[in-house]
Amino acid sequence: MNKLLQHLFHSFKMLFTKGSFVQNATLMSTSSLLNIALQFLFFPILSRIYDPAAYGAFALFNSLVIIVSTGLTLNYHRALVLPQGEAEFRSLLRLCIRTSLILSAVVFGLSFFLADVLRSAFELESVHYWIYAIPPLALIFSRDQIIVQWSIRQKAFRKFAQVEVPIVLSSKLFNVGFGKLVSAGPDGLIIANLMIFFGRIVFFLKYVLQNSKAALFATVSRAELKESRQQYRAYPRFVMPSQFLNMLSNYFPALLLPFFFGRPDEAGYLSYALIVLDLPVRLLDSGLSAVFLQKATSLWDTAKDQLRVQTEKLFFGVMLLALPVLIVTAAFGREIYTFVFSAQWTMAGQVAEILVMYYFLRYLAGGFTPLFQVAKKEKGLLVFQVV
């Protein structure tokens, strides 16, 4: 207990130290917390506009987009925080952009043959012609991931927080307006999701990232691209399969449900349960772990003992944040969902009660997976994800 109190006191003191790990993590987490607050503010409104069928169709469609996007950069983008020099970074950035363009073109060609099959198999008739937009939306999502990793590399945590919140707020307002005035189908949910990713790309390039034009339009030779592919060859071999398994474990259950029930409603219940449980995980992933990755990269070669201390502090911190969510959701999940989101979402609350322990463990483990990348143990990451 004394050790835990010491960690909390030290973290509070570091909160006011400019550029410290704790302050940077707090800035990122504050942005995530504000986004989560916006989500909870709009959830009761949206849950009374969009029914489980609409949200289930959106969740299934979004699952396909995210699964496809996972492989478009071959996960080279996850290495963007690692290069020491700008020339190496620009070469890796160009490799990410070219790889995603080529693979998205291949997927776009395949989509014309598979679109009707996917729409029928996953009961996605309500998304209409959006099914053909999976490849370009996946490309936009992969671009967003590149931008986020780039901002972490530049330690643009304060600007990240300032830009992120207005983007999320505008998308939620659009969700409400579209659902009320136009249609309460999945279209509004899809467009709002697109607004978040596309808006983040545009505003991050303009207001958050430094020298973005120089990096994007820099001359990169074939030899430099070849060297980047060779240096980061472990990413398509090990990191991409591990991330694909991670994504699949999150989204595949929802994709299976239409085969058993013949409708998207059950996928809506599951996804609505998971999106609330997933909010703390997203807080960790976009806040603490993003800063932890950058910090661990700088400490790995010079101060491993300090990195060990930072890792220990992060573990105790996330455990304290996760425990209240675990206890409250496990005890009162159905009652909370019924009261906050309306009676049509009671089933989602029951699902949340069942899955909250899994998400608690995922929350504890998720922030530390960047250590595999920092230590260049990409094969170990794949083994970890498989287990």
Side-chain angles (χ1 to χ4, degrees), residues 331-351:
F332 306 108
R334 276 172 286 191
E335 291 81 0
I336 292 172
Y337 272 71
T338 302
F339 176 75
V340 176
F341 305 125
S342 79
Q344 68 176 340
W345 295 101
T346 301
M347 178 68 73
Q350 187 174 356
V351 174

Side-chain angles (χ1 to χ4, degrees), residues 138-157:
L139 178 63
I140 291 172
F141 184 82
S142 69
R143 288 286 192 270
D144 173 74
Q145 296 303 300
I146 292 172
I147 292 295
V148 170
Q149 293 297 315
W150 192 352
S151 68
I152 294 170
R153 173 183 173 81
Q154 292 191 356
K155 303 181 185 179
F157 305 117

Side-chain angles (χ1 to χ4, degrees), residues 40-340:
F40 274 109
L41 177 65
F42 281 93
F43 271 154
I45 302 171
L46 295 174
S47 64
R48 288 165 172 82
I49 297 174
Y50 298 93
D51 62 17
Y55 199 85
F58 162 71
L60 292 167
F61 174 82
N62 198 47
S63 298
L64 293 173
V65 172
I66 292 175
I67 289 172
V68 170
S69 71
T70 301
L72 290 186
T73 66
L74 299 180
N75 268 235
Y76 285 125
H77 71 278
R78 293 186 172 272
L80 287 172
V81 298
L82 300 179
Q84 298 297 318
E86 281 301 306
E88 183 184 339
F89 165 74
R90 291 175 180 182
S91 176
L92 182 59
L93 177 65
R94 184 64 55 83
L95 181 62
C96 290
I97 293 172
R98 286 193 178 184
T99 302
S100 61
L101 275 174
I102 293 170
L103 291 179
S104 65
V106 173
V107 175
F108 188 73
L110 292 173
S111 68
F112 283 96
F113 300 98
L114 298 176
D116 290 336
V117 175
L118 292 173
R119 186 160 47 199
S120 175
F122 296 109
E123 302 295 331
L124 289 175
E125 284 78 10
S126 60
V127 303
H128 309 297
Y129 293 103
W130 280 108
I131 200 75
Y132 294 101
I134 288 177
L137 290 177
L139 178 63
I140 291 172
F141 184 82
S142 69
R143 288 286 192 270
D144 173 74
Q145 296 303 300
I146 292 172
I147 292 295
V148 170
Q149 293 297 315
W150 192 352
S151 68
I152 294 170
R153 173 183 173 81
Q154 292 191 356
K155 303 181 185 179
F157 305 117
R158 189 179 299 276
K159 290 181 179 179
F160 189 111
Q162 292 171 345
V163 171
E164 179 84 351
V165 174
I167 293 174
V168 174
L169 176 60
S170 62
S171 72
K172 294 303 174 187
L173 291 172
F174 174 85
N175 255 343
V176 173
F178 193 94
K180 280 288 189 182
L181 302 175
V182 182
S183 169
D187 304 76
L189 297 167
I190 294 172
I191 296 171
N193 208 39
L194 173 61
M195 286 174 60
I196 292 176
F197 295 123
F198 189 75
R200 193 153 55 184
I201 292 170
V202 172
F203 285 101
F204 271 46
L205 286 172
K206 186 170 180 62
Y207 298 110
V208 177
L209 298 172
Q210 297 178 359
N211 302 318
S212 58
K213 287 185 179 179
L216 288 171
F217 298 105
T219 301
V220 178
S221 66
R222 290 185 178 180
E224 289 174 319
L225 286 174
K226 184 177 180 180
E227 184 179 349
S228 289
R229 278 195 297 268
Q230 179 65 21
Q231 184 174 354
Y232 297 100
R233 63 187 182 278
Y235 279 75
R237 292 173 62 191
F238 302 119
V239 177
M240 187 187 73
S242 70
Q243 291 302 316
F244 183 78
L245 284 172
N246 188 36
M247 287 288 184
L248 204 60
S249 70
N250 294 330
Y251 295 103
F252 193 62
L255 292 173
L256 281 178
L257 289 174
F259 291 96
F260 292 99
F261 296 98
R263 58 182 188 178
D265 300 50
E266 277 69 25
Y269 294 132
L270 175 63
S271 298
Y272 222 81
L274 297 190
I275 199 169
V276 177
L277 290 177
D278 200 41
L279 287 176
V281 179
R282 285 164 52 196
L283 167 64
L284 179 66
D285 188 50
S286 62
L288 297 176
S289 67
V291 182
F292 179 68
L293 172 59
Q294 189 278 326
K295 186 70 174 179
T297 303
S298 64
L299 293 178
W300 178 256
D301 293 324
T302 58
K304 284 191 176 67
D305 288 340
Q306 188 178 347
L307 177 58
R308 178 186 59 79
V309 173
Q310 296 281 11
T311 304
E312 192 175 84
K313 290 176 183 176
L314 180 61
F315 176 79
F316 280 114
V318 298
M319 184 171 63
L320 288 172
L321 286 171
L323 272 173
V325 177
L326 168 66
I327 295 169
V328 173
T329 305
F332 306 108
R334 276 172 286 191
E335 291 81 0
I336 292 172
Y337 272 71
T338 302
F339 176 75
V340 176

